[in-house]
Amino acid sequence: MATDVRFVLEESFSNEISARSISKQKGEFASLLEFAAFGVVESWPRRVLVINLINTSRFGLMSVDLTSTVQLRSGNEMPVMGLGTWLLTRDTAETVLYAINLGYRLIDTSSDYGTQPGIGEAIRRAGVDRESIYITTKAEETDDSYLRTISNLKELGLNYIDLMLIHRPPATGAGEDLWEGLIKAREEGLVRDIGVSNYSISLMDRLIEASGEIPAVNQIEWSPFGYSWKMYDYCADKGIVIQAYSPLTRTRRLNDEKLRRLAKKYGKSPAQILIRWNLQLGTVPIPKANQKRHLEENIEVFDFAISEEDMNLLNGFNEYYSSLGWSLQYLEKAA
Ligand SMILES: NC(=O)c1ccc[n+]([C@@H]2O[C@H](COP(=O)([O-])OP(=O)(O)OC[C@H]3O[C@@H](n4cnc5c(N)ncnc54)[C@H](OP(=O)(O)O)[C@@H]3O)[C@@H](O)[C@H]2O)c1
């Protein structure tokens, strides 16, 4: 069984701190960091460093796998990667069943994807323990989120949801009512954790201020071509896990020449490099795949590691790109 440690170094590292002095800090934890899946310590001097150390019981970078988890603020654990199901409408139940049999444990859905009934069917047919599957689903911004939780449960045919998100902020306000509805659903045991999606920092601040409740997760578009250190640092500081949606850029950047060169160097596909980048960052990718060969390929990411130098190269791809056709939704409008 995987053991996960969310290890937060809250020393006030200034931005100027050198890699050398970080290495000294690292010395103290050498036995842990030697096999840390996430190499942020060496490369990014940041004020707050969050390092997810995975599988501390097994020691070894390669031992991170689909059963590895990250810990949420609540103490509950979430798999390190999952399966997205937007447009996964071709043989949904069959495909999700195939994914579960391959070892996928986190499935992302939403009331508006039309995949909840198929996912529920797949879980039942797989005959796996409900506790071993992690379901993320969502309420729309126009919903009564409490009632939506109940109808999602019905569609899934489950008696609890692991993580329920506000799909996107409403047109006005920060979604305080939606948040209250999710808090109520959690209090009644209908959901285990609650979070948001497509939220900016200031909107999360407003929710937190109104309720005292910090989201467990912000699910946002996230790939080397489009991400935000500001958001990364904010989430690390608050203990919010980033779930990375459209991590494959909906295929749009898979032919990028720089990415292809890197993929060739590692003998991996561009998609695998994008997924692995997320894993090493400690963000949780949820690539969607309807095709079996894609489902298989996307989990063959635990037998290699991207070097620190190449992580930096990938980080340099950032152009705040959004494959959804507009700018990254969580960036502050003025930014
Ligand atoms: N919260 C939100 O607002 C929000 C928004 C967008 C997405 N999401 C979630 O995040 C999930 C993932 O994002 P996404 O579906 O937008 O895009 P994505 O995962 O970046 O890309 C999915 C596309 O990549 C293809 N693909 C998968 N594996 C591949 C591989 N190894 N090589 C080449 N192509 C591959 C898929 O093809 P096939 O299907 O043909 O295999 C599909 O066309 C969604 O399904 C959804 O669950 C959430």
Side-chain angles (χ1 to χ4, degrees):
M1 186 63 189
T3 305
D4 307 299
V5 180
R6 167 160 276 234
F7 183 60
V8 185
L9 290 181
E10 291 202 65
E11 312 280 323
S12 319
F13 290 147
S14 73
N15 281 340
E16 299 85 49
I17 195 159
S18 68
R20 177 188 281 259
S21 57
I22 289 178
S23 294
K24 264 197 212 152
Q25 296 279 348
K26 174 186 156 180
E28 275 182 79
F29 310 104
S31 62
L32 292 175
L33 289 171
E34 262 167 20
F35 62 89
F38 307 114
V40 291
V41 169
E42 294 287 5
S43 44
W44 301 308
R46 311 193 74 74
R47 192 176 59 77
V48 176
L49 298 175
V50 177
I51 309 151
N52 286 298
L53 298 177
I54 291 198
N55 281 353
T56 51
S57 58
R58 278 192 265 160
F59 292 83
L61 179 57
M62 302 313 172
S63 65
V64 178
D65 61 27
L66 272 180
T67 66
S68 303
T69 54
V70 293
Q71 200 172 58
L72 303 178
R73 310 186 76 263
S74 60
N76 293 332
E77 310 218 338
M78 182 171 78
V80 288
M81 75 171 276
L83 174 68
T85 67
W86 180 67
L87 294 186
L88 201 157
T89 47
R90 200 175 62 245
D91 302 325
T92 307
E94 280 302 326
T95 308
V96 175
L97 178 60
Y98 189 77
I100 291 173
N101 286 336
L102 283 175
Y104 283 84
R105 286 295 171 263
L106 187 172
I107 320 280
D108 179 72
T109 182
S110 179
S111 50
D112 64 342
Y113 290 0
T115 55
Q116 294 192 123
I119 291 169
E121 184 190 328
I123 294 171
R124 286 184 291 282
R125 280 171 58 193
V128 290
D129 180 12
R130 167 66 185 94
E131 293 283 327
S132 71
I133 301 288
Y134 194 98
I135 298 291
T136 303
T137 186
K138 311 177 189 94
E140 301 308 293
E141 70 277 25
T142 48
D143 282 344
D144 174 321
S145 60
Y146 176 78
L147 293 180
R148 180 58 76 185
T149 306
I150 293 170
S151 66
N152 282 351
L153 281 168
K154 267 198 196 123
E155 279 199 19
L156 287 158
L158 299 175
N159 58 12
Y160 75 91
I161 288 161
D162 295 276
L163 175 66
M164 182 84 184
L165 308 177
I166 302 175
H167 204 153
R168 56 189 77 76
T172 56
E176 291 86 348
D177 291 352
L178 290 155
W179 198 227
E180 286 307 321
L182 292 191
I183 291 172
K184 182 175 167 202
R186 190 194 51 198
E187 281 168 1
E188 292 182 9
L190 304 178
V191 307
R192 297 217 163 145
D193 281 289
I194 57 176
V196 294
S197 178
N198 299 305
Y199 266 61
S200 64
I201 290 172
S202 59
L203 283 174
M204 283 191 279
D205 276 341
R206 281 173 65 179
L207 267 197
I208 296 166
E209 202 178 312
S211 62
E213 178 77 34
I214 299 176
V217 161
N218 190 15
Q219 185 182 108
I220 47 181
E221 186 173 1
W222 195 267
S223 80
F225 298 100
Y227 67 93
S228 153
W229 283 132
K230 214 169 157 193
M231 178 61 80
Y232 184 87
D233 285 349
Y234 174 88
C235 289
D237 193 28
K238 292 258 184 297
I240 299 169
V241 173
I242 292 175
Q243 267 185 353
Y245 80 62
S246 307
L248 307 180
T249 67
R250 296 189 163 170
T251 73
R252 296 203 173 100
R253 305 300 296 267
L254 294 183
N255 280 326
D256 179 275
E257 202 41 55
K258 315 180 282 301
L259 177 61
R260 290 185 73 83
R261 268 200 302 274
L262 211 52
K264 198 170 170 205
K265 172 174 170 184
Y266 285 91
K268 289 285 174 182
S269 70
Q272 288 168 327
I273 296 289
L274 297 184
I275 292 168
R276 183 73 204 186
W277 174 82
N278 266 294
L279 292 171
Q280 291 188 207
L281 217 55
T283 48
V284 174
I286 48 169
K288 174 257 180 181
N290 217 143
Q291 297 180 54
K292 287 181 176 170
R293 67 188 172 97
H294 287 159
L295 286 167
E296 289 158 10
E297 182 179 312
N298 294 348
I299 55 173
E300 291 190 357
V301 289
F302 299 104
D303 57 353
F304 79 112
I306 302 171
S307 72
E308 183 192 332
E309 195 187 352
D310 290 333
M311 281 298 284
N312 283 330
L313 198 67
L314 283 159
N315 297 339
F317 290 5
N318 195 11
E319 51 190 75
Y320 302 99
Y321 172 80
S322 170
S323 58
L324 274 63
W326 52 92
S327 63
L328 295 171
Q329 296 180 47
Y330 52 88
L331 296 184
E332 304 292 347
K333 296 278 180 279

